[in-house]
Amino acid sequence: MNCNTLIWMLACVWMLTGCSKYLEQVPQDRLSLDKIFTNREDTQKYLAGIYTYIPDEYNQRQLHEGELYKTYGPWTAASDEAEYTWAHVQSHMWNNNTINANDGLIARRWKSWYVGIHEATIFMERVNGNPEVPANLKAQWAAEARALRAMYYFYLVRAYGPVPIIEKIVGQDTPLDQLQIPRNSVDECFDYIIAELRAAVNTGLILHVSLESNPSSDGYGRIDQTIARAFIIEAMMLRASHLFNGSNSYYAGLVNADGKKLFPTANAAEIKAKWKAAADETRAFIQDFVPRFYDLERSMTNGVLDPYASIRRATRGAFSELSSYKELVFYRISTSAGTMQYDRTPNHKGTTDQYKGGGALGATQEMVDAYFMKNGRLPITGYQADGKTPIVQAAANYAETGLNPSDYRDPANNSRIFAPANVGMMYVNREPRFYSDITFSGQKWLFDRDGAIYTDLSYSGNAGKLQGVNDYSKTGYVVRKSAPEGPRNTEDRVCILLRLAQVYLNYAEALHESDPGNSEVVKYLNLIRQRAGIPLYGAGVDALPVPSSEAEMTAAIRAERRVELSFENSRFFDVRRWGTAEQNQNKAIYGMNVEADGTAFLQRTKVEDRVFAKRQYFFPIPQKEIDIDKALQQNPGY
């Protein structure tokens, strides 16, 4: 396999001003392994290099680039959350089902994570021989490499399905006949990932970064016990879900050449046990680490919870504020923040670069419809047979047509205007997360140092198609989540990869699947809703009825997850692990009419027809890997 390649193209990776000194220490030249592992500084640089394969999901526009590190994917615009205007962005391959086993991105991601695995294995085998590194640091660094290796296997399995587990170093002079390595089974992959993460926890990882004497220099961005345990939860959730638990019939017949079955046989009792294991693991995480190290971000205005400010803070991820964050569990320090900010800042023709971006990552109408109203109800419960006309929930107090007669202000902070006068009524009375996450036409921009700027996404508007040419949104919306609240070129950002909110939602889902009716399911859903500023299920002012059936509770959990984790690389994988992608990804997406101005703009308009085939649940195995390793079986459909 090509996983035996040693890559030292790492010097340019950690360029964020002020980022963690520990993770800035990347080798400038390729050195002999013997020299590296007899010098403390070079050994530490080698470990820093292993970290570079953590995903930088702020760079999803640049999938065509050939770099192996950063390992970003197509996730946001390759789901029903969003659409890129620019034709070169490779997320379109997922939306029109043209991905293939020869594509460069497919090969790079496979190689990236296997290179990271290979380097982690080298580090683990050699670090103990370094005379300059004290024993306690040897154990800690080896545990970090071990955890990273397990995490990279997790990323591989999540994208490609079961993969070969390679525990020993494969040398560059290994004969070809020894490179014929078959895929391990799903259960073998997850057993290995979970066991290795537990071993890392037990053999040297620090408990939490905050316990370091100087976290900003020695800790931020490093793997600790809490992160490893969070990844155990992620692995268990994936394993218990429909895609991997044996109930997906499309992969039931996938076998190795010797007949070895790669996916488990569905068994209701075993599936429930897997969900229970995930619930138990998540409960233990919460009991051990909340609120000691983690909690939901809650910002206050005049002594009262400010949901909008809380959500903005929870998803901002400013490096300069890391010491005060409570919700961030896992993040990448060095990021392509400038790319993300350009994509999520509207064009704002006629302004300076501080206010002006490409604005070409457009949220879909379907994602807009998924946000709740301020009364906690979903405005849209589905669509009529044409796939376009919404089915409006009468109790939601939603208006599809008309213009807002006056400013709609934030109920928690009257000085904040959520929806200015004369915007579409469909943007009025929505929940705070909607105003935090979505830029709609007529909305005031986040940064206003030189005076308020209002984003006009209609055809002739300052962020519309006519003036933007290529830099506009095809959907008439722009993703606002994580967009800069200061000048557009502010790169003081870490890439958030896991928040406590996701842990809570994991717990609610796993507990519901293993013990339906358990009161803690509603408790943890309500913790998310309470911070979001919307009515709770079964408690408090304007309480909503608790979902009464298992199906209704499943729908409630998934609806909450869709909104809370929107544009955070969750939806792409959620619809796959649930086995619902063929229903909700295999259809047209809609937006506003970006070819029109005035009220004609406010018409639901088809953006594109999308195609999802069963084969798209996983990436194909890269063909060039199969050409080398004849024992690798290709995923069905490729």
Side-chain angles (χ1 to χ4, degrees):
M1 307 187 74
N2 287 340
C3 62
N4 59 345
T5 305
L6 184 61
I7 302 294
W8 287 114
M9 341 187 302
L10 308 173
C12 62
V13 177
W14 305 97
M15 299 178 70
L16 180 64
T17 301
C19 74
S20 170
K21 293 179 181 178
Y22 178 82
L23 296 179
E24 282 178 333
Q25 300 176 80
V26 179
Q28 300 299 309
D29 303 291
R30 178 174 175 170
L31 306 172
S32 73
L33 290 176
D34 289 341
K35 181 176 180 180
I36 288 170
F37 287 99
T38 55
N39 178 278
R40 173 172 173 161
E41 182 180 356
D42 289 338
T43 299
Q44 194 169 16
K45 288 177 181 179
Y46 193 106
L47 178 59
I50 301 170
Y51 274 87
T52 62
Y53 303 100
I54 291 173
D56 174 11
E57 300 297 3
Y58 285 165
N59 204 36
Q60 293 185 13
R61 185 204 335 145
Q62 309 286 7
L63 297 174
H64 59 284
E65 293 184 350
E67 59 195 12
L68 287 180
Y69 50 86
K70 296 187 178 180
T71 65
Y72 38 84
W75 327 125
T76 300
S79 76
D80 58 357
E81 291 181 321
E83 167 78 353
Y84 265 114
T85 299
W86 300 310
H88 74 273
V89 179
Q90 287 185 290
S91 56
H92 298 301
M93 295 193 308
W94 275 262
N95 298 332
N96 59 26
N97 188 26
T98 58
I99 55 175
N100 65 82
N102 292 305
D103 182 76
L105 174 66
I106 299 298
R108 284 193 300 277
R109 286 301 157 265
W110 177 279
K111 184 172 183 177
S112 296
W113 287 315
Y114 268 119
V115 169
I117 287 164
H118 177 72
E119 293 180 3
T121 303
I122 288 174
F123 187 91
M124 292 167 63
E125 291 194 5
R126 285 184 170 262
V127 66
N128 284 331
N130 191 323
E132 293 189 1
V133 179
N136 65 316
L137 276 184
K138 287 177 183 177
Q140 179 180 330
W141 292 356
E144 289 178 34
R146 191 172 201 167
L148 285 165
R149 184 174 67 174
M151 290 159 62
Y152 296 154
Y153 272 117
F154 169 83
Y155 288 134
L156 279 164
V157 171
R158 187 177 66 165
Y160 296 91
V163 299
I165 300 294
I166 304 171
E167 300 186 67
K168 299 295 183 182
I169 296 171
V170 180
Q172 294 186 359
D173 56 352
T174 302
L176 188 61
D177 63 346
Q178 295 182 28
L179 294 177
Q180 307 309 298
I181 307 171
R183 299 171 74 171
N184 286 80
S185 70
V186 163
D187 282 339
E188 288 170 344
C189 288
F190 283 119
D191 283 345
Y192 178 82
I193 291 166
I194 292 166
E196 287 295 288
L197 288 167
R198 290 202 194 284
V201 168
N202 294 329
T203 59
L205 287 181
I206 59 172
L207 179 59
H208 187 259
V209 61
S210 64
L211 301 179
E212 287 281 10
S213 59
N214 187 2
S216 62
S217 175
D218 299 321
Y220 292 144
R222 289 170 65 182
I223 306 301
D224 59 27
Q225 290 184 30
T226 70
I227 294 169
R229 286 181 57 181
F231 264 81
I232 292 173
I233 295 168
E234 290 297 301
M236 287 182 166
M237 290 291 294
L238 208 58
R239 182 182 204 171
S241 295
H242 171 78
L243 182 58
F244 287 97
N245 68 20
S247 56
N248 187 321
S249 61
Y250 187 65
Y251 294 100
L254 184 60
V255 297
N256 282 335
D258 62 359
K260 177 179 178 178
K261 189 175 172 63
L262 296 184
F263 281 75
T265 300
N267 177 294
E270 290 179 1
I271 291 171
K272 180 161 282 193
K274 290 173 181 176
W275 280 117
K276 184 179 185 302
D280 291 346
E281 190 72 30
T282 314
R283 183 187 302 110
F285 181 98
I286 294 169
Q287 291 172 344
D288 290 347
F289 303 137
V290 179
R292 182 181 181 187
F293 300 127
Y294 300 112
D295 208 342
L296 296 180
E297 297 291 346
R298 293 181 178 88
S299 297
M300 310 298 285
T301 297
N302 298 323
V304 177
L305 177 70
D306 187 330
Y308 173 88
S310 300
I311 296 155
R312 289 297 302 180
R313 175 172 169 77
T315 58
R316 182 165 60 242
F319 179 86
S320 59
E321 300 175 25
L322 281 179
S323 63
S324 64
Y325 284 133
K326 292 286 284 182
E327 188 162 343
L328 305 190
V329 177
F330 181 53
Y331 47 85
R332 179 184 167 112
I333 291 287
S334 176
T335 74
S336 303
T339 299
M340 177 274 290
Q341 292 174 352
Y342 187 83
D343 296 353
R344 302 186 188 194
T345 301
N347 187 264
H348 294 144
K349 189 76 171 181
T351 62
T352 67
D353 284 348
Q354 293 182 331
Y355 305 94
K356 179 181 175 64
L361 182 59
T364 64
Q365 187 66 49
E366 290 74 14
M367 189 64 238
V368 167
D369 292 343
Y371 284 86
F372 297 91
M373 303 299 290
K374 73 174 183 180
N375 63 13
R377 299 180 184 273
L378 287 172
I380 308 299
T381 58
Y383 302 92
Q384 295 183 16
D386 61 3
K388 169 185 174 181
T389 306
I391 300 171
V392 176
Q393 181 178 188
N397 193 28
Y398 168 82
E400 172 77 3
T401 60
L403 298 178
N404 185 24
S406 60
D407 292 344
Y408 170 61
R409 296 178 179 272
D410 181 355
N413 184 346
N414 192 59
S415 66
R416 183 183 296 130
I417 298 174
F418 273 162
N422 296 315
V423 303
M425 279 298 297
M426 66 174 72
Y427 311 133
V428 178
N429 292 323
R430 304 300 290 269
E431 61 157 310
R433 288 178 295 193
F434 173 78
Y435 301 104
S436 170
D437 296 355
I438 303 290
T439 295
F440 55 87
S441 194
Q443 192 176 18
K444 181 177 175 290
W445 182 238
L446 293 161
F447 183 47
D448 60 357
R449 184 177 62 192
D450 300 316
I453 295 174
Y454 292 85
T455 304
D456 186 349
L457 294 159
S458 65
Y459 178 72
S460 302
N462 63 359
K465 182 177 181 179
L466 177 63
Q467 301 200 61
V469 186
N470 292 315
D471 290 347
Y472 73 100
S473 166
K474 288 173 65 175
T475 69
Y477 302 99
V478 179
V479 174
R480 193 180 187 93
K481 197 173 203 175
S482 301
E485 294 166 339
R488 193 261 299 168
N489 54 359
T490 301
E491 298 201 12
D492 177 30
R493 291 289 184 274
V494 298
C495 181
I496 301 171
L497 298 171
L498 183 63
R499 296 189 286 124
L500 182 66
Q502 183 166 331
V503 176
Y504 283 0
L505 289 164
N506 286 348
Y507 184 51
E509 180 179 350
L511 193 60
H512 172 61
E513 294 291 342
S514 61
D515 186 16
N518 190 304
S519 62
E520 291 211 324
V521 175
V522 173
K523 172 185 174 181
Y524 281 87
L525 271 186
N526 278 342
L527 285 173
I528 299 295
R529 291 173 70 87
Q530 186 270 339
R531 194 270 296 278
I534 55 178
L536 312 184
Y537 291 118
V541 178
D542 299 322
L544 300 182
V546 174
S548 57
S549 70
E550 288 187 33
E552 288 175 349
M553 182 58 78
T554 296
I557 291 168
R558 292 179 180 182
E560 202 68 51
R561 188 179 182 96
R562 184 179 187 182
V563 171
E564 179 65 29
L565 302 181
S566 63
F567 315 115
E568 293 185 57
N569 317 300
S570 178
R571 178 73 173 171
F572 180 96
F573 296 105
D574 283 343
V575 297
R576 282 164 171 76
R577 67 182 181 85
W578 295 331
T580 63
E582 292 160 79
Q583 290 75 50
N584 48 44
Q585 309 297 300
N586 188 34
K587 60 182 183 179
I589 59 166
Y590 288 83
M592 293 287 95
N593 184 4
V594 298
E595 303 288 345
D597 291 318
T599 55
F601 166 80
L602 297 170
Q603 302 296 316
R604 292 174 181 258
T605 304
K606 183 187 289 188
V607 176
E608 70 175 7
D609 288 306
R610 289 188 172 181
V611 178
F612 186 94
K614 287 180 182 294
R615 70 175 195 152
Q616 291 175 260
Y617 278 101
F618 290 122
F619 286 12
I621 305 298
Q623 186 58 47
K624 68 179 183 179
E625 300 292 343
I626 293 175
D627 292 341
I628 296 170
D629 181 0
K630 307 297 185 184
L632 279 176
Q633 295 297 308
Q634 182 58 276
N635 283 327
Y638 295 103

